[in-house]
Amino acid sequence: MNNSEKGFIPVMLTPFKDNGNVDFDSLGKLTEVYLDAGAKGLFANCLSSEMFELTDEERLEVIKHVIKVTAGKVPVVATGTFGGPVEAQAEFVKKVSDTGTDAVILITGLLADEDEADDAFNERVFRLLDLTPGVPVGFYECPVPYKRLISPEQLQQFVATGRVIYHKDTSLDLEQIKKKLKLTDGYNFGLYDAYMVHAVESLKAGSAGLSCIQGNYFPELIVWLCDNYDKEDLKLEVERVQQFLIENMDVMHNVYPIVSKYFLQKRGLDISTFTRRKVGAFTQTVSSQIETLFKDFDRLQKDLEIRLAL
């Protein structure tokens, strides 16, 4: 995981059975879909995974299952902080690391309250690193419980420890991303952008790749973009893909992740639309919007001759 090789890191869904239990069979099939699509890594136990609705035991079981199915083909990162004293968070970080993850992800909004200064956040990060010697980590600027952004200068400090190898950026700010890339240049570190509105420009600026919810609809399309964003002979096609992602941003975020599970159902994956998160009603209007998205993607995929994973 570094900025020299572009790749897509899916923020993985957690399939559930209709009774609400984790569906490990479907999770295995979904993991294989991501891999077959060309993902360069996997982010398990994240917000798209409904991590806050899982128990600690379920979190660890999900991570272990993904690692088992992946069988070393690509790196796997997974969230390891869920609030409370730093000492308690560190203990769970070690448990997540013991599953075999390549890095344990720290949720920025759970290491300091919203009204606390950056100094308090920095202190807890360094304290957590001290309590988890040798464990590679990364950051996720998760919007829950609130979005705490890391400044370029802060990120430089953390990456300089040699322990931080991954960062999922949700700043939505291309200039901030460019500064983060400049200040962390030369380290074994990868910045992955979540914001598809400037996906192409972020890749051109030097980000390691993309880590976005759009990959839970059509991972092949995000892989294609990572592979072809800078090819002059495909400039028009790249612009078309970028515009497609921009135009469908709201549709893909509405009632998510129910809608992405429904989309994958339509693509042929045996997955229930059940979610534990309360995300709103999956209405006929929402269903119709996803039907249109499915048709538009089908047309785009055929025009670009993208091989589908399912």
Side-chain angles (χ1 to χ4, degrees), residues 68-130:
K68 179 181 177 181
V69 175
T70 303
K73 296 183 181 72
V74 299
V76 176
V77 303
T79 304
T81 56
F82 291 93
V86 172
E87 291 75 15
Q89 296 199 48
E91 286 304 308
F92 196 69
V93 165
K94 288 186 279 189
K95 289 182 181 179
V96 172
S97 179
D98 288 344
T99 66
T101 55
D102 292 84
V104 181
I105 305 306
L106 316 179
I107 301 300
T108 55
L110 290 172
L111 286 166
D113 292 336
E114 193 167 4
D115 59 354
E116 289 187 287
D118 285 343
D119 287 346
F121 175 80
N122 296 349
E123 180 183 352
R124 284 171 204 152
V125 170
F126 288 122
R127 174 64 177 153
L128 190 145
L129 293 179
D130 288 341

Side-chain angles (χ1 to χ4, degrees), residues 251-279:
V251 171
M252 287 186 279
H253 278 83
N254 187 25
V255 201
Y256 176 84
I258 295 175
V259 284
S260 63
K261 292 179 177 181
Y262 177 67
F263 192 92
L264 290 172
Q265 264 188 5
K266 290 188 61 61
R267 292 197 54 190
L269 184 67
D270 183 14
I271 185 172
S272 170
T273 59
F274 184 97
T275 69
R276 292 183 184 178
R277 290 184 66 193
K278 303 302 180 184
V279 296

Side-chain angles (χ1 to χ4, degrees), residues 218-281:
F218 22 72
E220 307 92 340
L221 188 63
I222 310 305
V223 169
W224 184 93
L225 194 60
C226 289
D227 289 344
N228 298 289
Y229 72 95
D230 61 347
K231 293 182 179 178
E232 190 61 32
D233 59 329
L234 292 174
K235 183 178 180 180
L236 293 179
E237 289 86 347
V238 168
E239 290 176 353
R240 181 181 174 189
V241 171
Q242 176 73 91
Q243 190 58 35
F244 171 78
L245 295 172
I246 292 171
E247 290 175 355
N248 290 289
M249 184 73 66
D250 291 343
V251 171
M252 287 186 279
H253 278 83
N254 187 25
V255 201
Y256 176 84
I258 295 175
V259 284
S260 63
K261 292 179 177 181
Y262 177 67
F263 192 92
L264 290 172
Q265 264 188 5
K266 290 188 61 61
R267 292 197 54 190
L269 184 67
D270 183 14
I271 185 172
S272 170
T273 59
F274 184 97
T275 69
R276 292 183 184 178
R277 290 184 66 193
K278 303 302 180 184
V279 296

Side-chain angles (χ1 to χ4, degrees), residues 8 26 29 53 65 73-74 87 91 119 134 161 170-171 181 195 212 236 261 276 282 290:
F8 168 51
S26 291
K29 293 174 184 175
E53 285 72 39
H65 192 72
K73 296 183 181 72
V74 299
E87 291 75 15
E91 286 304 308
D119 287 346
T161 66
T170 66
S171 67
L181 292 168
Y195 192 43
C212 52
L236 293 179
K261 292 179 177 181
R276 292 183 184 178
F282 184 55
I290 297 302

Side-chain angles (χ1 to χ4, degrees), residues 200-220:
V200 173
E201 290 306 311
S202 180
L203 290 167
K204 288 181 177 179
S207 63
L210 306 173
S211 188
C212 52
I213 72 163
Q214 287 78 2
N216 287 326
Y217 295 84
F218 22 72
E220 307 92 340

